[in-house]
Amino acid sequence: MKRMINLRPDRSWRMMLTLLPFALLLLVYILSSDARLALNPNDKLLPSFAQFASTMQQMVFEPSKRTGELLFWQDTFSSLQRLGLGILIAATLGLVIGLLTGALPLVSAAFSPLLTVVSLIPPMALLPILFIVFGLGELSKVVLIVIGIFPFIARDIQKRAQEIPAEQLVKSQTLGAATPAILLRVLLPQLMPRLIDAVRLSLGAGWLFLIAAEAIASTDGLGYRIFLVRRYLSMDVILPYVAWITLLAFLVDWLLAWANRRLYPWYHQGGL
Amino acid sequence: MLQINNLWKSYGDQIVLERIHTEVQAGDFVTMVGASGCGKSTFLKMLLGTEVPSKGQILLDGQPLAAEPDADRGIVFQQYSVFPHLSVLDNVIIACAFSQSPWTGWLGRTRKAAARQAAEAMLDKVGLSHALQRYPHELSGGMKQRLAIAQALMLKPRILLLDEPFGALDPGIRADMHELVLGLWREHQLTVFMVTHDLKEAFYLGTRLWVFDKVRHDPQAPHRYGASLTYDLDINRKRGSDLQGAALLKDIQARTAPTVALAG
């Protein structure tokens, strides 16, 4: 028998082992749900899959009686729009601030300490201010996401910019480049794949701020829906919504990882 | 062409280099050796412009050298001198782009075509014409250095600085690189400064060999005296292997050992 640290699963074994915990969780849920429903057919805490299907059927395919909208898609669209806009603005802001503070010591001296302080402010504590200043509409939700994640992206990009070997900057100068050309042609392209990495890492926080903002003040959105139906103990809505949010988060992350490999092959094959 | 007047370099109260006077003619190939920490790299950085002398001057054609790197001086480092996000061809084209539009580094279509032709010709000279579309991480160490040399030579710099460019290469590859550098030096009539750890390499490549060493020692305060140029040898390449050369080699080895390795 080999030592444990030397045992590696082959392909089919790996697949089995990957699926195993998911299957176990599912099994535990089905068994507990069945047990509860056998005792009380009106139990709302652990709905059966048939209940999930009929509820989601309504939300996905049938227009709401009150507004005439397909609620599930309306919620998904609103949330993704807020998240996408927030992430896009935060990434742009983070890239510009990170690049300038990472590459130019003068800008760094002026703004790095401020950036550190800003990044330490808990964004949720600012939410009331955002509501007061920007109202309860879309703007304050997007701003919360931006404020929540841009300092992280900016600091990460700043650090990555400083990690680019000084030799490259010296080399550019000996080829006659002025500062803007070095920023645009040497640093910026090398920071792009790192920016995508930073965005991937901050997506979790982005979802957190999105759902928090929607839970507090909104009229649609995935987070709004979950917190709305909580009053009726509608686990048949909440659990599918959570699964859907998880799937969306996974897909966005996967898409970014794929795009990163496609767009910047040199970054992923030890090109440094 | 290059005049060095009473050059000193110190960091705080630690003196690295002291009292360096010399003159270099256009077309000289200066190789610099010395123990680790003797200041030969610091000297190269002052030529490059990333360090400034504490005292004294370096004059290029009678004018003080600019205090930051510029297109007068080309550089090849031991590593990291090529751009990892650009293909081999783009790595050389960007040299033209930077020199022709220093602010944006963008070239129009016609200028880009011209730059591309020039870049292909240069890459052909250094033997990389088969790898134009590859990225640096797909190249061997020797090929990367060939690319770095091609990049540095695109702008025909007055001075070419080589900072242990072949230190990380296998001996066989190194011999190829020596022929390449000598060929380019003759063809473009370059003025070269090269830092190396390898004495044989220094003898083989250089027309002048500089040895950096401390002339004065204070055992109580070793940092109070800096290194200076203890040898400035004119090397006649044809005599490089005769008895006189061999004796010199031995003498210098004895002085700079044990930190200077004599690689085969």
Side-chain angles (χ1 to χ4, degrees):
Chain A
M1 185 72 182
K2 278 184 178 177
R3 289 176 183 80
M4 187 88 168
I5 55 165
N6 293 324
L7 292 177
R8 289 166 201 284
D10 63 11
R11 261 181 72 104
S12 50
W13 259 107
R14 181 181 295 276
M15 192 72 102
M16 295 258 287
L17 289 171
T18 307
L19 292 177
L20 186 69
F22 291 99
L24 277 178
L25 274 175
L26 208 62
L27 188 71
V28 168
Y29 182 86
I30 291 174
L31 290 178
S32 344
S33 165
D34 279 354
R36 282 187 74 101
L37 288 169
L39 283 174
N40 171 12
N42 290 325
D43 178 61
K44 301 194 82 171
L45 210 57
L46 300 178
S48 70
F49 276 83
Q51 280 170 288
F52 285 146
S54 78
T55 309
M56 290 317 287
Q57 160 90 19
Q58 278 178 22
M59 306 222 36
V60 175
F61 297 113
E62 291 169 19
S64 143
K65 288 191 193 87
R66 202 164 58 79
T67 59
E69 285 162 342
L70 298 172
L71 287 181
F72 177 79
W73 297 114
Q74 176 65 30
D75 288 339
T76 304
F77 176 74
S78 301
S79 288
L80 285 183
Q81 199 181 25
R82 290 168 193 144
L83 185 68
L85 205 58
I87 297 266
L88 195 71
I89 296 172
T92 312
L93 205 59
L95 180 65
V96 171
I97 296 175
L99 173 64
L100 292 178
T101 53
L104 306 172
L106 283 177
V107 179
S108 178
F111 293 108
S112 290
L114 177 66
L115 183 62
T116 309
V117 171
V118 168
S119 74
L120 293 173
I121 301 172
M124 287 306 293
L126 293 179
L127 190 55
I129 303 179
L130 299 182
F131 282 149
I132 292 167
V133 176
F134 298 112
L136 296 176
E138 293 301 290
L139 189 57
S140 53
K141 300 181 193 70
V142 173
V143 172
L144 177 69
I145 297 174
V146 172
I147 290 186
I149 63 180
F150 100 83
F152 165 78
I153 295 180
R155 292 178 82 187
D156 193 59
I157 293 298
Q158 176 187 24
K159 219 171 134 236
R160 306 284 156 227
Q162 286 162 349
E163 276 169 13
I164 291 176
E167 282 89 340
Q168 289 183 27
L169 306 184
V170 174
K171 183 87 179 201
S172 317
Q173 296 175 64
T174 64
L175 300 177
T179 304
I182 296 176
L183 295 186
L184 287 174
R185 302 296 305 276
V186 179
L187 294 176
L188 186 65
Q190 293 194 60
L191 290 174
M192 285 310 289
R194 293 164 168 93
L195 175 67
I196 294 184
D197 276 349
V199 166
R200 285 179 64 198
L201 287 175
S202 57
L203 269 175
W207 279 102
L208 171 72
F209 295 125
L210 171 74
I211 289 172
E214 287 180 344
I216 294 171
S218 188
T219 53
D220 62 359
L222 297 166
Y224 162 75
R225 192 69 52 199
I226 292 179
F227 277 79
L228 180 74
V229 301
R230 175 188 62 95
R231 300 174 204 165
Y232 318 113
L233 277 181
S234 293
M235 293 293 269
D236 53 342
V237 175
I238 296 176
L239 288 177
Y241 261 63
V242 171
W244 175 238
I245 292 172
T246 311
L247 180 69
L248 284 178
F250 175 80
L251 283 179
V252 173
D253 184 66
W254 181 85
L255 207 70
L256 285 174
W258 177 82
N260 213 355
R261 276 196 309 273
R262 266 312 276 276
L263 291 172
Y264 309 105
W266 50 267
Y267 178 65
H268 296 271
Q269 292 154 31
L272 249 185
Chain B
M1 175 169 102
L2 199 72
Q3 258 189 321
I4 293 154
N5 297 330
N6 192 28
L7 189 71
W8 291 65
K9 180 69 189 175
S10 53
Y11 299 98
D13 65 351
Q14 170 154 16
I15 296 171
V16 181
L17 290 168
E18 60 177 41
R19 295 180 302 165
I20 295 180
H21 296 271
T22 187
E23 223 171 278
V24 177
Q25 305 304 319
D28 279 353
F29 194 134
V30 181
T31 50
M32 303 186 272
V33 296
S36 296
C38 67
K40 57 191 190 299
S41 288
T42 306
F43 183 77
L44 197 83
K45 282 180 189 155
M46 288 193 280
L47 288 178
L48 178 59
T50 53
E51 293 276 358
V52 285
S54 309
K55 233 195 281 179
Q57 282 184 306
I58 306 178
L59 301 175
L60 176 63
D61 301 327
Q63 298 297 317
L65 273 180
E68 61 176 4
D70 61 19
D72 277 340
R73 293 155 279 174
I75 175 83
V76 175
F77 292 107
Q78 184 170 11
Q79 52 179 355
Y80 300 130
S81 40
V82 298
F83 302 117
H85 61 294
L86 297 175
S87 69
V88 166
L89 185 59
D90 286 337
N91 252 296
V92 181
I93 289 179
I94 204 171
C96 305
F98 279 154
S99 64
Q100 290 175 34
S101 52
W103 286 89
T104 61
W106 293 105
L107 291 179
R109 181 173 287 197
T110 43
R111 284 199 299 174
K112 177 128 190 193
R116 191 191 165 95
Q117 264 190 349
E120 279 173 358
M122 180 56 79
L123 284 167
D124 193 40
K125 261 183 219 163
V126 301
L128 282 180
S129 47
H130 62 288
L132 296 182
Q133 298 308 330
R134 285 202 231 165
Y135 281 97
H137 71 267
E138 298 167 302
L139 304 179
S140 67
M143 289 165 86
K144 261 187 229 176
Q145 290 309 73
R146 284 168 189 267
L147 176 56
I149 291 170
Q151 237 180 4
L153 289 184
M154 270 316 269
L155 303 189
K156 314 236 174 325
R158 306 285 318 273
I159 302 170
L160 179 64
L161 305 169
L162 307 172
D163 192 0
E164 296 184 41
F166 314 133
L169 304 181
D170 294 334
I173 309 281
R174 210 183 292 190
D176 293 344
M177 298 298 288
H178 291 165
E179 296 317 310
L180 174 71
V181 167
L182 284 179
L184 291 169
W185 169 68
R186 281 191 204 103
E187 187 187 332
H188 296 274
Q189 282 144 20
L190 301 167
T191 309
V192 183
F193 289 84
M194 173 167 158
V195 167
T196 177
H197 273 301
D198 182 343
L199 253 180
K200 266 196 178 160
E201 182 176 86
F203 260 96
Y204 180 69
L205 290 176
T207 56
R208 286 171 77 177
L209 173 71
W210 289 358
V211 180
F212 286 80
D213 200 3
K214 288 190 182 185
V215 218
R216 303 183 287 175
H217 283 278
D218 180 345
Q220 256 60 45
H223 58 276
R224 290 306 297 161
Y225 291 120
S228 195
L229 276 184
T230 50
Y231 275 94
D232 180 355
L233 300 173
D234 255 319
I235 301 170
N236 182 338
R237 186 156 291 125
K238 283 185 187 123
R239 272 186 331 168
S241 60
D242 74 1
L243 278 176
Q244 195 188 352
L248 262 173
L249 181 70
K250 244 186 183 166
D251 182 31
I252 295 169
Q253 260 179 311
R255 280 172 174 270
T256 55
T259 31
V260 173
L262 186 68

